[in-house]
Structures are given as C-alpha cells and as structure tokens.
Amino acid sequence: MKVGVIGGGYVGLVSASCFAKLGFNTMILENDKRKINKIQRAISPIYEDQLDSLLKLTIIQNGNLSITNDRDLFFKNSDIIFICLPTPSQSNGEIDLNYILKELMELGKLISKSNKFKFIIIKSSVVPGSTSGIIKSTLEVYSNKKVGFDFGLGVNPEFLMEGQAINNFFNPDRIVIGTLDQKTKTVLSKLYESFNCPKLFVTLDEAEMIKYVSNSFLATKISFINQIANLSENFNINMDNIVDGIGTDKRISKQFLRSGLGFGGSCFPKDVLALYNLSKQYDSTISILKKTLEINNYQPLRVVKLLKNQFDLKNKNISLLGLSFKPGTDDIREAPSLKIVKELIKYDCNISVYDPAHKNTKLPSHQYLHICESIEEVLNNSDAAILVTEWDEFKSLEPVNFSNMNNKLIIDGRRILDPNIYHNSNVKLITIGNSRINSS
Ligand code: UGA
C-alpha cells in the first residue's frame, strides 16, 4: 500500500513522515520548489519538535519518504492519496475550498485515464457537506467515473497540535474514518491497523462535523474560562484553584482550561468562524460560537487594560516575552501577541519582543517595534514586561532577571510565574485572573 500526500505544509509533512516511519512507501506532492529542496535534504521547513530527525530517518536512512512536484509520477506512485491543502477563511468568514478543488480537478483527470482503483482521502478541515457535495461531484465530473465503483473517497480528519504533532500522530485518542464506500473503509482500516485507539467509522459529513465540533468546543472552553478568570480578579481567587476544583470532575477535565490571552493559531479562530458561518447559512445559528470569538478577540487587550491601570501608556517602553501563538512553534498566525502590539502602537509605545523561536524573524518593520535576541536585551530599560507565550525559558524567571528594567512591572498573561517568589521582591507581578497578586 503506497501513500501519497498532497501538500507539504504542516499537516501534510507531519502525516507523510509519520506514515513513512510506520513503513509505508510515502510520496509528497508539493509545488514550492524551495520547500522541496529543503525536505529532500531532510531539513524541516517548519519549527516542529522531532521533525528534523524523523525526516532524516525517512528520507535519508530508510528512503521511505520522497517529495516531488511531478503530479503524474506522484499519481502513479500512490494508492491512497491524502489531501492536506489549506482551507483558509474567505473575507465573509466562509471556508475557501479553492486550493482543494483545483487539485481535485487535476486528480479527476488523472483518475479518468487510470485503470487502478485509487483512494482520495480528505485530511484538510472542510465543513460538513463539502466532501459528499462539491468534492465528490468535482472528482466525478473531472474523472467521468463514480465514487465507490471506480475510486474511493473518504474523510480522515487530523487532531494534531503544533509542537506535539508527531507524538499526537502516534498516540491518538481516536481515529475518525468517514466513508461512503466499503472499499475505502477497508483500506483505511488496514492503513491504521497498528493503532490501538478507538476507530470511529462514520459518514463523510459526520467525520467533517467531528473535526469542527472538536476545535469549536475546545475554543469555547477557553473563552468560557477566560471570562471566569476576568470575573475572578474581583475576588480573593486564584484561577489555578478553580481549575483544580472543577477539572478533577472527570466530566469536565482540566484540559483546555488554562486562562490567559485566548487562543490563536491557524485552526481554532478559522474553524470556529467557519462553523458559525455554516450554521447561519442553514438557519441554525450556533450563537455561542460568535461569543467564543468575541471573547477571544477581547482577551489579549485585557493585559493592556491591566497595564493602563498602572500608568499612562503614552511613549512607554514595553517588552513582550513571546510572540508565537503558543510555545513549541514559531507560528504567529492569529497570535495574541499581534493584537497586543497593535493596541500598544496606538499609545506610541516602543515595543521590544523576544521569543526563543524568533531570534531572526523579519517582522513587518515598524518604527516602534524591535526584535531582541535575549531576555536580558528585551528587558533593558523597559517600563513594563508582558509575558505573552508560556515558553519553558520564561517559567524559571525570578525577580533578579528583571533587574535591568526601568520600572519593574510584569503582567503575566499566561499565569506561569510563581507569585510567591515575587511577593516580597521589588518586582511587581500582576497575573491575569488572580486578584490576590494583583492587589499586592
Ligand atoms: C488545534 C487542536 O488542538 C488540534 O487537535 C487540531 O488538530 C488543530 O488545532 C488543527 O485543527 O489542525 P493547535 O492550533 O496546534 O491545535 O493548538 P492548541 O494546542 O490546541 O492551542 C490552540 C490555542 O489555544 C493556543 O493559542 C493556546 O495557547 C490556546 N489555549 C490552549 C489556551 O489558551 N488555553 C488552554 O487551556 C489551551
């Protein structure tokens, strides 16, 4: 069984290298020549734990993984073809399927000329109804063949978290397999037979819905706890105790209840918006999702509010510890840091940023924004520091590390600094969602 993956982006590259590690002969189809060149030399174009060594193993050592921009060669080499192309938001918030549909037109033409039964599996996040609707019809029209009789079609969503994607691939909570035809169900069962987790065999629409509900539910959990944290600042409450108190109830669980600056990244904001827009189209508006997004848009601004309670922000030197939307990645898509920078610029602040994954990042140049190469550099002469991303490097910071600041004020937007260490020091620590410390 040979595996093909269309799209060497985050999901495609991780999935392909993991399938190759499992022993499948795997090929990626990618059109970005610079990316191809790097991957062929086993250099990961993205920042992801363990990926470089996995590429070395699968590309150089055992040769199970290859990458090409030659679609004919790719098609010939692949029995099961995973579509791992981006599905961005359109300006009206609806999902944009164009990358996928263009590729499917080409695949359809190749299927029309082939006498082999190929399996086309959608791994990209597509809203419910996409695969049984436009995706199926595009393939059938361009191939002039029928799903189930001439080729297979399935949906197999991914649940990989950036920074932990390889571990997530090999240790999934579940594998969701959406199919129309028995052959596709059989071939995907075989592909994943070495996994011991529950395997859920569902319809195409159900598989798509599971992915969107999963991301939307987790995002809503985060917005919910963030509003509880904001309220809790008015009482003698430490949010960690609240999360322990409710999270030990197995029905709730502690996961995705870390309050702070809200969710970012390329998935949650986009997927919540797409599900919300889909629900409106079907006159079944999931209004809670609109609130989830509104709360999340506000949450990064809350640290700016906490700062404004301390002093007049005009022309102040503000340091940001962290830029990526979460630790373990250099991804800044929809990162809370960007919203904070945008807000601080309104007050003509001079902003310095340090992030371990962004020492050499070229950000859109702005006269007020400066990228630093160390914690020491970012704090130098600063009037306040905002902890934005919970990198390990920041967790061990102590009052002495802030000694070169002009004004020793820290706003911990991720709740990772230990307040007890700061209590009797000359550094003022304000933690989002924690009144005991805010008032000290
Ligand atoms: C998310 C999902 O967790 C994956 O299952 C899914 O496959 C992926 O989207 C996707 O759709 O491709 P990811 O975006 O990599 O993965 O990041 P998460 O670790 O889920 O974090 C998302 C955001 O929520 C981050 O900004 C994080 O800081 C924030 N978060 C997470 C919190 O604010 N509090 C929490 O308790 C947990």
Side-chain angles (χ1 to χ4, degrees):
M1 199 151 47
K2 290 181 173 178
V3 175
V5 171
I6 301 188
Y10 192 83
V11 171
L13 184 56
V14 168
S15 306
S17 49
C18 290
F19 281 127
K21 188 177 178 195
L22 286 175
F24 294 103
N25 181 307
T26 307
M27 189 178 269
I28 300 172
L29 178 66
E30 168 60 53
N31 56 18
D32 180 338
K33 288 205 174 121
R34 278 173 46 204
K35 217 183 244 182
I36 294 177
N37 195 275
K38 273 191 149 179
I39 294 171
Q40 275 169 340
R41 288 180 291 134
I43 299 169
S44 168
I46 54 168
Y47 185 109
E48 180 66 33
D49 189 33
Q50 302 175 45
L51 191 51
D52 275 317
S53 56
L54 195 52
L55 290 178
K56 259 185 209 100
L57 172 76
T58 52
I59 294 218
I60 295 171
Q61 288 166 15
N62 67 21
N64 278 353
L65 182 62
S66 57
I67 183 161
T68 182
N69 61 357
D70 180 339
R71 190 178 282 104
D72 290 332
L73 171 76
F74 169 86
F75 188 76
K76 232 166 71 196
N77 194 72
S78 313
D79 301 316
I80 308 178
I81 298 175
F82 284 96
I83 308 293
C84 299
L85 293 168
T87 50
S89 302
Q90 299 180 49
S91 53
N92 64 2
E94 286 170 26
I95 186 175
D96 179 356
L97 288 177
N98 276 319
Y99 291 104
I100 294 189
L101 295 180
K102 266 197 196 147
E103 189 53 53
L104 294 180
M105 290 171 195
E106 298 305 321
L107 276 182
K109 290 180 209 161
L110 289 169
I111 291 172
S112 77
K113 291 187 265 173
S114 164
N115 51 15
K116 279 191 117 185
F117 197 103
K118 303 272 180 175
F119 298 90
I120 311 297
I121 313 297
I122 309 297
K123 219 177 222 324
S124 307
S125 300
V126 294
V127 293
S130 306
T131 306
S132 60
I134 184 130
I135 288 178
K136 174 171 170 282
S137 61
T138 303
L139 279 167
E140 290 189 332
V141 165
Y142 280 80
S143 64
N144 205 15
K145 292 188 173 175
K146 278 255 161 269
V147 165
F149 296 96
D150 307 298
F151 66 94
L153 182 61
V155 173
N156 172 219
E158 51 82 21
F159 302 97
L160 309 174
M161 288 186 278
E162 289 187 25
Q164 306 166 48
I166 291 165
N167 190 28
N168 290 162
F169 184 96
F170 288 116
N171 302 290
D173 289 341
R174 74 311 204 180
I175 293 172
V176 174
I177 294 172
T179 52
L180 262 183
D181 57 292
Q182 187 56 41
K183 274 188 183 162
T184 307
K185 192 173 165 182
T186 308
V187 87
L188 286 175
S189 310
K190 184 117 195 74
L191 183 78
Y192 287 115
E193 74 181 348
S194 62
F195 289 79
N196 281 327
C197 64
K199 287 162 200 158
L200 309 177
F201 294 96
V202 295
T203 65
L204 298 174
D205 294 357
E206 284 166 349
E208 293 163 336
M209 185 64 103
I210 287 168
K211 168 69 194 223
Y212 277 85
V213 175
S214 169
N215 276 2
S216 299
F217 187 79
L218 293 171
T220 302
K221 229 179 152 181
I222 297 169
S223 280
F224 176 75
I225 204 69
N226 278 331
Q227 286 213 312
I228 300 293
N230 297 347
L231 171 67
S232 295
E233 282 177 10
N234 298 294
F235 304 95
N236 186 10
I237 281 176
N238 177 342
M239 275 310 288
D240 297 338
N241 294 335
I242 303 301
V243 172
D244 281 347
I246 61 168
T248 39
D249 183 330
K250 290 192 191 71
R251 294 169 304 173
I252 299 175
S253 113
K254 284 187 196 169
Q255 296 204 47
F256 282 73
L257 286 181
R258 282 195 324 274
S259 50
L261 298 175
F263 56 82
S266 63
C267 306
F268 281 7
K270 165 182 81 83
D271 291 353
V272 176
L273 187 62
L275 186 60
Y276 173 66
N277 276 293
L278 185 80
S279 71
K280 278 203 307 190
Q281 277 172 41
Y282 285 88
D283 198 18
S284 306
T285 306
I286 309 175
S287 49
I288 194 171
L289 296 183
K290 189 168 182 225
K291 278 287 164 210
T292 294
L293 291 169
E294 276 172 19
I295 296 162
N296 197 57
N297 283 336
Y298 163 72
Q299 203 60 21
L301 306 184
R302 186 140 184 108
V303 287
V304 180
K305 181 171 176 267
L306 291 174
L307 253 190
K308 283 199 300 193
N309 291 344
Q310 298 298 313
F311 53 51
D312 177 9
L313 270 178
K314 190 86 185 148
N315 291 323
K316 289 286 191 308
N317 299 330
I318 308 293
S319 324
L320 299 193
L321 294 167
L323 190 61
S324 301
F325 84 97
K326 65 172 189 177
T329 175
D330 61 355
D331 197 341
I332 60 169
R333 284 174 289 178
E334 300 283 334
S337 59
L338 303 180
K339 291 180 191 156
I340 295 170
V341 166
K342 207 168 151 200
E343 188 66 11
L344 291 174
I345 285 173
K346 289 186 192 157
Y347 297 90
D348 295 327
C349 292
N350 300 302
I351 309 159
S352 303
V353 183
Y354 167 71
D355 186 298
H358 286 280
K359 292 183 187 169
N360 304 310
T361 300
K362 303 259 175 302
L363 280 184
S365 74
H366 191 285
Q367 56 170 326
Y368 302 108
L369 193 60
H370 174 60
I371 299 283
C372 299
E373 291 186 13
S374 67
I375 296 180
E376 201 185 351
E377 185 190 347
V378 80
L379 295 175
N380 200 26
N381 284 329
S382 166
D383 295 311
I386 306 176
L387 200 153
V388 182
T389 314
E390 63 273 40
W391 285 100
D392 281 345
E393 198 175 332
F394 301 150
K395 287 184 182 160
S396 53
L397 285 174
E398 292 181 9
V400 63
N401 299 109
F402 299 95
S403 55
N404 64 348
M405 291 176 77
N406 247 351
N407 178 40
K408 296 174 184 46
L409 170 64
I410 312 165
I411 311 281
D412 182 358
R414 293 295 181 177
R415 317 176 37 71
I416 59 166
L417 298 178
D418 180 355
N420 297 319
I421 300 180
Y422 290 81
H423 201 63
N424 288 322
S425 76
N426 62 349
V427 177
K428 182 164 190 181
L429 172 67
I430 296 178
T431 307
I432 202 162
N434 194 339
S435 70
R436 264 185 279 184
I437 294 138
N438 297 352
S439 58
S440 69

